[in-house]
Amino acid sequence: MSETNAESDRVEVVFSSEEIANRIDAIATQIAEQKLDRLLVIAILKGSFVFAADLIRALYKVGLQPEVDFISLSSYRKGTKSSGKVEILRDIEMDVKGRNVLLVDDILESGRTLAFAKDLVTARGAQKVLTCVLLNKPVERAVQVEADFAAFECPNVFVVGYGMDLAHRFRELPFVGHLQNRS
Ligand code: IMP
Ligand code: MG
């Protein structure tokens, strides 16, 4: 199931580089409107690293100077299915107490990952916690959580590229794509 071969590698573009860049600029403007002082951006690795890199530079363009940290979370994903348990693989280094935090993730699907991260930084005393995702999948949430900012509504298919992988592949694609022979 998680194996890929040459024939399965045809990737259809779902969101192009240009569409992504435009949406990120729009979201950066919305974030700037929130007037959050000492903003700390926390990217949820690995999937959000490309999105977060582009987002922080878009934030710079609208006049913000965010600090940046990372957390690596795993939802025990095997192939394309999530098992439901979230584990911290690498924790945030910075103290979030009293900070305005923007959590950045690639996809909001069951909600478990984002809810876990939100609960964690809230429990550690963050002043305000906002969430930003590249893609919002229109599925029933296992945990009630919605993103404050979402670049796109995503078709309910498995997507890769722009940081997102299937079995460690395809992260380098500059667009969000769908592997044509997979649901
Ligand atoms: P959730 O915890 O179910 O909301 O899942 C969110 C996480 O699952 C995201 O951070 C992604 O890493 C991963 N994920 C969900 N759907 C996809 C997909 O279509 N492609 C790649 N990763 C996905
Ligand atoms: Mg992820």
Side-chain angles (χ1 to χ4, degrees):
M1 178 61 191
S2 64
E3 280 176 12
T4 54
N5 56 41
E7 297 90 85
S8 69
D9 287 355
R10 287 186 14 163
V11 184
E12 172 195 2
V13 176
V14 179
F15 300 111
S16 69
S17 307
E18 196 185 6
E19 288 174 289
I20 295 169
N22 289 337
R23 283 297 297 144
I24 289 177
D25 283 344
I27 284 181
T29 302
Q30 287 176 34
I31 293 169
E33 284 165 3
Q34 303 278 316
K35 307 267 180 241
L36 302 161
D37 68 315
R38 294 186 65 233
L39 180 63
L40 172 60
V41 170
I42 300 179
I44 302 174
L45 298 176
K46 299 177 190 168
S48 76
F49 77 108
V50 175
F51 176 44
D54 283 345
L55 182 64
I56 59 169
R57 287 175 289 177
L59 292 174
Y60 164 80
K61 283 200 282 177
V62 295
L64 272 63
Q65 297 172 298
E67 292 177 15
V68 184
D69 203 347
F70 305 91
I71 186 168
S72 191
L73 296 179
S74 154
S75 52
Y76 284 95
R77 179 172 291 273
K78 281 220 175 76
T80 61
K81 288 273 183 297
S82 166
S83 76
K85 194 161 169 251
V86 181
E87 186 190 21
I88 301 176
L89 301 179
R90 177 208 178 274
D91 208 341
I92 305 159
E93 284 177 11
M94 294 172 75
D95 186 2
V96 300
K97 199 165 192 303
R99 299 296 301 264
N100 289 313
V101 172
L102 179 70
L103 291 169
V104 177
D105 204 0
D106 51 358
I107 302 188
L108 174 57
E109 193 172 27
S110 76
R112 287 189 188 99
T113 307
L114 201 59
F116 180 93
K118 207 174 165 179
D119 290 350
L120 187 78
V121 294
T122 303
R124 289 178 182 174
Q127 181 182 319
K128 186 163 194 178
V129 185
L130 292 173
T131 55
C132 178
V133 297
L134 178 70
L135 305 175
N136 183 26
K137 277 201 183 173
V139 296
E140 205 185 321
R141 306 273 187 251
V143 184
Q144 263 323 302
V145 62
E146 291 305 328
D148 296 298
F149 308 98
F152 299 100
E153 295 301 305
C154 183
N156 193 16
V157 294
F158 195 80
V159 291
V160 295
Y162 198 67
M164 296 173 287
D165 74 313
L166 173 65
H168 311 295
R169 301 187 58 202
F170 306 109
R171 292 194 198 273
E172 73 282 11
L173 299 178
F175 54 86
V176 174
H178 171 230
L179 288 171
Q180 292 202 323
N181 58 348
R182 280 166 197 269
S183 61

